Amino acid sequence: MSKKRKYDESYVKYGFCCMKESDDVEKPQCFLCGKVLANASMKPAKLIEHLKSLHPENASKDLEFFTKKKTQFSKSGTLTKLGFGIPQKTLVEASFRVAYRIAKSKKPHTIGETLIKPCALEMVELVCGLEQRKKLEAIPLSNDVIQSRIVEISCNILKQIINELKASPFPFSMQLDETTDISNCSQLLVFVRYVSADTIKEEFLFCEPLLQTTMAVDVLAILNVFFSKHDFDWKQKLHSLCTDGAPAMLGNKSGFAHLVKKEAPNVIVTHCFLHRHALATKTLPTSLIDVLSIVIKTVNFIRSRALNHRLFKTLCQEMNAEHEVLLYHTEVRWLSRGQGPDTTIMDATEKLQAFLSKMSVWKIRIQNGIYANFQMLDEFIFENGSRQDSLLLNNLKDEICEHLEVLQVSFEKYFNLDEITKKDELWIRNPFLCDIDCIDDMDLAKDELIDLKTKSLLKMDFDSKTLGEFWSSLREAYPLLVKRAMAAIIPFATDCILGILIQPLDNYVVVSES
């Protein structure tokens, strides 16, 4: 661990005062330009180098000059922390907004000081004049400042999410997955879905490294440490848990879900829809899977080395091919297309029911020689129909029909639709069109549904709001219906996390902790 250097009052003669970060680390700040240097630069040689390279006209000034400049800097409100004054709100806010955009665009932190600020200064000087340029020079955008701003934004947003989870009137849902980053390190990603301010929010919670083993006990330990740190009893408020089918997650004896259910028996555990979809689709006949395997190996061979990729691109150009670049084959990621943040288990179930119904129709069409549902095959047969071997075509037709039959059975095995969405809960999708008898007469929720169906103003709200927003707004008027509706809306349908989400500043009031 590097040594933390301390500020000395004699550094004033080099044009530097001291600022202190939230972690009590002291950093030198030039009161001539407002730039904040790293703690490692807290030594005379580094400070003199800054003075001579950026402020050569002041390098020969006496101590009285620098003392006067420091006083002016302090009175201006630009000097940050350590009791010298309160930073100007606009300068700090500008620094935070630039840091947010840098983080959102995934750019190096140094870009604020090396590109953004110089460009902004030149534009302001050309358009607004030299005086306006001087105002922008005081905005701190150094590498260390941007890093600290991003950390502060992240911590503040996390604090707000934890507070919203604690204040939520309903239990929350959680999805988690262990993944490996580009440096081959295992990371645990966790998202939550909960009700807040009459709407359902889906937020990224945290990402923590699994330093050694990636067993269920390790995952549980990380969760316990995280929530304990934020003083939140997550097991008491957790409604459902969504994860993949890996043994470490869904193992019958020592899986993470099994460990959670030991301490919270009422938690509903769901197997990710997309992972089940991937398992169910691995039913291709041998002759067809062999062709697909060759294609996969070819694509991966071309993309495995840059030279292979360049040679393939040259070949495509010589052949006047429409496309020149190949994508890696993936088994699950492509299934995530169209999965928005508001997707519920009911949405996924409806799509699945439609897909199962279509397969029976596709089989009939294939048996009658209609291949319209398989576009590339249909085009190939149309272009080469007269030259096709009828016996070969009949064999292909039989294999496709067989595959559709096996696929349908496989889907019904992995997805028990009656368990996922009960038929007597269909009123959740649209309480104004459902049959009132969908709820039993002995169920007190039926009284609330009858009352709800008669409200024309609520019908207008239903047409203008999302399903989650509609039911969230009714939790006081119809508590029985809303509680049951939330049990179906809040759970995640998939745990396929495609990237870490950076929340827009409009969603949260980012407050500096300093």
Side-chain angles (χ1 to χ4, degrees):
M1 191 173 183
S2 59
K3 177 183 177 182
K4 299 301 180 183
R5 299 181 179 276
K6 298 293 183 179
Y7 176 79
D8 189 280
E9 288 297 332
S10 63
Y11 295 163
V12 173
K13 62 185 179 182
Y14 307 126
F16 282 87
C17 55
C18 178
M19 68 163 287
K20 186 180 291 187
E21 292 289 346
S22 56
D23 55 359
D24 291 333
V25 175
E26 296 181 354
K27 295 181 179 180
Q29 182 177 19
C30 176
F31 50 72
L32 299 176
C33 63
K35 185 175 181 179
V36 179
L37 304 184
N39 177 264
S41 299
M42 192 85 80
K43 47 187 178 181
K46 293 285 187 181
L47 305 181
I48 293 174
E49 180 183 355
H50 174 88
L51 177 64
K52 290 183 177 180
S53 60
L54 297 183
H55 311 287
E57 68 281 3
N58 297 324
S60 59
K61 300 291 185 179
D62 56 13
L63 179 60
E64 183 181 357
F65 169 82
F66 287 108
T67 303
K68 184 178 179 180
K69 283 291 184 181
K70 177 185 174 182
T71 303
Q72 293 174 350
F73 191 66
S74 176
K75 289 182 179 180
S76 68
T78 308
L79 187 60
T80 57
K81 306 180 185 178
L82 207 61
F84 292 126
I86 302 174
Q88 288 185 7
K89 181 179 179 180
T90 53
L91 296 177
V92 175
E93 183 178 352
S95 177
F96 269 101
R97 289 187 176 273
V98 172
Y100 166 75
R101 290 188 174 275
I102 291 175
K104 187 176 180 180
S105 60
K106 301 180 179 64
K107 299 298 183 181
H109 298 168
T110 54
I111 196 174
E113 187 177 29
T114 60
L115 180 61
I116 297 177
K117 189 171 183 177
C119 290
L121 292 176
E122 289 185 10
M123 288 187 291
V124 170
E125 182 178 352
L126 289 172
V127 177
C128 303
L130 185 60
E131 289 298 321
Q132 301 301 322
R133 172 193 169 104
K134 292 180 179 180
K135 294 181 179 180
L136 261 66
E137 288 179 345
I139 299 176
L141 293 178
S142 67
N143 175 55
D144 293 331
V145 168
I146 295 299
Q147 189 270 340
S148 64
R149 295 286 190 256
I150 293 174
V151 171
E152 204 164 342
I153 290 173
S154 176
C155 293
N156 187 267
I157 291 178
L158 175 59
K159 183 178 179 180
Q160 294 182 57
I161 292 176
I162 294 295
N163 290 337
E164 289 175 349
L165 281 174
K166 292 179 179 179
S168 177
F170 298 99
F172 72 100
S173 177
M174 180 167 59
Q175 65 170 219
L176 71 162
D177 192 16
E178 178 271 325
T179 186
T180 304
D181 59 22
I182 57 175
S183 60
N184 207 29
C185 296
S186 294
Q187 306 284 349
L188 178 65
L189 298 169
V190 179
F191 277 70
V192 289
R193 180 183 280 173
Y194 58 94
V195 178
S196 176
D198 291 341
T199 187
I200 292 181
K201 287 189 174 183
E202 182 174 319
E203 307 289 355
F204 169 71
L205 189 61
F206 72 86
C207 173
E208 290 288 344
L210 292 162
L211 300 178
Q212 297 181 5
T213 58
T214 58
M215 297 185 296
V217 291
D218 303 313
V219 175
L220 185 61
I222 288 179
L223 278 180
N224 283 328
V225 169
F226 174 83
F227 285 110
S228 176
K229 178 181 177 181
H230 295 280
D231 192 25
F232 182 56
D233 189 358
W234 64 280
K235 295 173 186 175
Q236 294 297 322
K237 292 201 68 173
L238 180 63
H239 170 266
S240 61
L241 175 70
C242 180
T243 185
D244 60 20
M249 293 297 177
L250 292 182
N252 293 330
K253 295 183 179 180
S254 59
F256 173 75
H258 180 73
L259 297 179
V260 171
K261 288 186 74 68
K262 274 186 176 180
E263 302 183 35
N266 295 326
V267 171
I268 299 173
V269 179
T270 58
H271 185 177
C272 168
F273 260 71
L274 298 183
H275 281 88
R276 279 188 278 182
H277 192 297
L279 293 172
T281 53
K282 294 181 179 181
T283 58
L284 280 174
T286 304
S287 59
L288 298 181
I289 196 66
D290 287 344
V291 176
L292 182 60
S293 298
I294 294 173
V295 172
I296 294 171
K297 290 179 181 178
T298 303
V299 171
N300 290 339
F301 173 77
I302 294 173
R303 289 305 304 266
S304 62
R305 294 186 179 181
L307 175 60
N308 296 349
H309 191 204
R310 293 195 296 269
L311 293 175
F312 177 78
K313 185 175 182 178
T314 302
L315 176 63
C316 292
Q317 292 173 347
E318 293 175 353
M319 297 174 61
N320 295 322
E322 182 179 357
H323 303 287
E324 300 175 358
V325 178
L326 290 176
L327 301 177
Y328 273 124
H329 167 74
T330 57
E331 296 182 349
V332 174
R333 188 178 296 273
W334 68 271
L335 298 171
S336 302
R337 296 183 62 186
Q339 296 285 333
D342 295 324
T343 301
T344 65
I345 286 183
M346 293 183 294
D347 297 323
T349 302
E350 289 175 353
K351 294 178 181 179
L352 182 63
Q353 288 171 330
F355 178 65
L356 290 173
S357 300
K358 289 177 183 178
M359 280 196 286
S360 300
V361 179
W362 294 353
K363 179 183 174 183
I364 296 174
R365 289 174 182 166
I366 292 295
Q367 290 172 341
N368 288 275
I370 301 175
Y371 302 92
N373 295 111
F374 304 88
Q375 185 178 358
M376 296 183 65
L377 176 61
D378 189 46
E379 292 175 357
F380 179 80
I381 293 176
F382 177 78
E383 295 174 358
N384 305 275
S386 59
R387 291 175 285 171
Q388 292 301 309
D389 187 334
S390 58
L391 179 60
L392 180 61
L393 197 57
N394 288 333
N395 290 337
L396 179 61
K397 184 189 303 183
D398 293 339
E399 289 183 342
I400 294 177
C401 290
E402 178 187 353
H403 171 56
L404 291 176
E405 290 178 357
V406 176
L407 186 62
Q408 190 167 10
V409 173
S410 180
F411 263 82
E412 292 170 352
K413 169 188 173 184
Y414 280 103
F415 296 90
N416 189 335
L417 299 183
D418 291 335
E419 291 183 1
I420 297 172
T421 303
K422 298 178 181 179
K423 293 183 179 179
D424 59 354
E425 303 288 337
L426 296 180
W427 54 268
I428 298 173
R429 297 294 284 167
N430 193 327
F432 300 98
L433 296 180
C434 70
D435 184 358
I436 198 67
D437 293 328
C438 65
I439 296 183
D440 188 83
D441 291 339
M442 298 297 104
D443 193 339
L444 295 179
K446 189 168 187 174
D447 297 345
E448 294 186 358
L449 182 60
I450 294 173
D451 183 68
L452 176 60
K453 285 174 66 70
T454 62
K455 302 295 178 63
S456 57
L457 290 178
L458 292 181
K459 176 65 168 64
M460 297 173 61
D461 280 349
F462 180 81
D463 295 334
S464 61
K465 295 180 178 179
T466 65
L467 197 61
E469 291 173 342
F470 173 75
W471 285 114
S472 298
S473 65
L474 301 178
R475 65 174 182 267
E476 295 182 1
Y478 305 102
L480 295 178
L481 287 179
V482 173
K483 182 178 180 180
R484 198 171 299 176
M486 288 304 170
I489 296 175
I490 292 180
F492 283 98
T494 172
D495 75 326
C496 289
I497 304 169
L498 300 182
I500 296 179
L501 306 180
I502 298 178
Q503 304 299 336
L505 292 177
D506 295 339
N507 287 1
Y508 294 94
V509 179
V510 180
V511 181
S512 173
E513 299 288 347
S514 50

